[in-house]
């Protein structure tokens, strides 16, 4: 299996622009997570899907952030409008059995907002 | 409020110099504690799951142990390839993982 695939790997954009990050989870995994990682705040959970349904989006910073999972093999995280403080590495992760604690992370999308 | 605290923040070791990393947690009803390794520019990679006090898991030069209040990750005779950031995490009541800030380990030849 190719693992969790994220795109783009790097994105540089200007403040106010829309950013869309994409994720393809591992086939057969029923849980999907979006995390954000910064030096100051570490790894923060933004949103969690189970069977394509958003279960908990309490970590989404504000209304500028939205996430969708239209099917079991694709998810997007959108930021509109983007701000410099959104600069971070965004990780997508998927899991087959949450109780094991085994999440499979993608390589991340590094976002820089100028 | 559930908390996960890791120490030290950074650790510099000579090759072969064993050491331990600490992860302390305050959660009600522990449902497991998980260790991950993260290499620069990569996503975290799962290492171990520990479920109950007294449990131990081993993988190559790494051994994770769990007590009622904390977990230790012991690195025995480390090699430069063990250099990474080591993260621990605990699940909340919904199963969502809450990660600690990590310990950055550098092993020099």
């Amino acid at each position: 299996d190719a693992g969790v695939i994220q795109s783009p790997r790097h994105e540089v954009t200007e403040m106010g622009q829309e950013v869309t990050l994409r994720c393809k989870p591992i086939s057969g995994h029923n849980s999907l997570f979006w995390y954000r990682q910064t030096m100051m705040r570490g790894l923060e959970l933004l949103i969690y899907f189970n069977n394509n349904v958003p279960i908990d989006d309490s970590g989404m910073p504000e209304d500028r952030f939205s996430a969708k999972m239209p099917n079991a093999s694709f998810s997007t995280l959108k930021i509109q409008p983007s701000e410099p403080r959104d600069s971070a590495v965004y990780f997508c992760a998927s899991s087959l059995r949450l109780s094991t604690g085994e999440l499979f992370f993608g390589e991340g999308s590094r976002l820089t907002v100028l | 409020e559930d908390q996960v605290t890791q120490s030290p923040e950074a650790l510099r070791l000579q090759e072969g110099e064993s050491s331990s990393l600490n992860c302390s947690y305050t959660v009600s009803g522990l449902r497991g504690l998980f260790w991950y390794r993260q290499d620069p520019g990569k996503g975290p990679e799962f290492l171990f799951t520990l479920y109950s006090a007294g449990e131990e898991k081993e993988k190559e030069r790494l051994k994770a142990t769990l007590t009622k209040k904390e977990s230790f990750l012991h690195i025995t005779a480390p090699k430069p390839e063990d250099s990474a950031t080591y993260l621990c995490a605990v699940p909340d009541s919904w199963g969502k993982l809450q990660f600690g800030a990590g310990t950055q380990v550098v092993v020099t030849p």
Side-chain angles (χ1 to χ4, degrees), chain A residues 9 35 37 43 45 48 56 58 91 98-103 105-107, chain B residues 31 34 36 38 41-44 46 49 51 87 92 94-97 99:
Chain A
R9 290 295 315 278
Y35 280 87
Q37 187 173 42
L43 262 176
L45 178 63
Y48 155 43
D56 185 347
S58 59
F91 287 103
L98 209 50
S99 61
T100 66
E102 188 169 7
L103 269 57
F105 283 80
E107 298 208 320
Chain B
R31 296 169 186 80
F34 314 113
Y36 281 76
Q38 186 174 21
K42 304 285 187 181
F46 175 79
T49 300
Y51 286 112
L87 300 159
D92 65 12
W94 291 95
K96 299 175 301 181
L97 291 190
F99 282 87

Side-chain angles (χ1 to χ4, degrees), chain B residues 26-97:
Chain B
T26 54
V27 296
S28 53
L30 184 68
R31 296 169 186 80
L33 185 141
F34 314 113
W35 283 97
Y36 281 76
R37 168 193 171 124
Q38 186 174 21
D39 293 304
K42 304 285 187 181
E45 180 182 347
F46 175 79
L47 289 173
F48 303 113
T49 300
L50 300 165
Y51 286 112
S52 55
E55 189 174 358
E56 298 183 352
K57 291 276 179 72
E58 284 190 66
K59 182 178 181 178
E60 295 182 354
R61 294 172 294 282
L62 301 177
K63 183 167 80 172
T65 62
L66 182 65
T67 72
K68 288 185 177 180
K69 294 290 186 187
E70 58 193 348
S71 177
F72 293 93
L73 184 65
H74 309 277
I75 311 178
T76 302
K79 298 182 177 182
E81 53 261 43
D82 295 321
S83 298
T85 296
Y86 291 88
L87 300 159
C88 68
V90 295
D92 65 12
S93 56
W94 291 95
K96 299 175 301 181
L97 291 190

